[in-house]
Amino acid sequence: MHTPAEFTTHADCAFSTRPKVDLHNRIMNDINLTGSDLSGANLSNSFLIRARLSSAESADTNINLAGADLTSAELFGAGLTGANLTNANLNHASLHQSKMARANLTGANLTGANLTNSDLTGANLTGANLTGADLTGATWTDGRICAVGPLGNCW
């Protein structure tokens, strides 16, 4: 049984020096976490609509964003290597230059997302929706670089 989501204030999120923070099932829309250390953080099932996580770091340290709603979130240059983004909603999110090697994006909604110049090497995109996503210059799961054009046009 899920508990109702809790509202989280900006003060509650001043955790740039507190790795492994548990903020699952929270409402944090429009929050600015730019440059925060999200190492080991649990943000699963949280609402992070229009949140700013640009250049946030989680360098292969198990950030959990499973089921999180990151609609229109700004994740420019975010360190998401090895992140769990299973069933996350990244609709129209900006993931430009994000580091996403080995990220689990199973079932993620990436409709209209900007993935230009991102590192997706070894990422799991099983069942992910990439309709309208921009993959220009992205490093595909098998190491190919995506050209401008429709999905599947990677060389």
Side-chain angles (χ1 to χ4, degrees), residues 95-148:
L95 295 151
H96 176 71
Q97 294 184 348
S98 292
K99 298 152 194 79
M100 301 176 72
R102 299 179 313 283
N104 186 351
L105 293 152
T106 302
N109 178 9
L110 292 156
T111 303
N114 179 351
L115 294 157
T116 57
N117 300 315
S118 295
D119 182 1
L120 293 168
T121 304
N124 184 346
L125 292 161
T126 304
N129 184 350
L130 292 161
T131 305
D134 186 350
L135 293 160
T136 304
T139 303
W140 196 240
T141 57
D142 62 2
R144 294 178 290 159
I145 305 296
C146 296
V148 177

Side-chain angles (χ1 to χ4, degrees), residues 44 47 55 59 79 106 112 114 133:
S44 63
F47 294 89
S55 301
T106 302
N114 179 351

Side-chain angles (χ1 to χ4, degrees), residues 2-8 24-28 45-47:
H2 295 296
T3 59
E6 297 179 41
F7 283 96
T8 299
H24 77 283
N25 206 35
R26 301 288 179 110
I27 298 172
M28 297 180 279
N45 298 310
S46 290
F47 294 89

Side-chain angles (χ1 to χ4, degrees), residues 46-60:
S46 290
F47 294 89
L48 294 152
I49 298 169
R50 295 176 309 276
R52 289 169 300 287
L53 290 93
S54 297
S55 301
E57 290 299 325
S58 70
D60 204 16

Side-chain angles (χ1 to χ4, degrees), residues 48-99:
L48 294 152
I49 298 169
R50 295 176 309 276
R52 289 169 300 287
L53 290 93
S54 297
S55 301
E57 290 299 325
S58 70
D60 204 16
T61 54
N62 304 314
I63 183 171
N64 185 358
L65 289 162
D69 190 343
L70 292 150
T71 300
S72 299
E74 174 63 49
L75 295 123
F76 175 84
L80 298 171
T81 300
N84 182 1
L85 291 153
T86 303
N87 297 317
N89 185 359
L90 293 154
N91 183 25
H92 289 92
S94 176
L95 295 151
H96 176 71
Q97 294 184 348
S98 292
K99 298 152 194 79

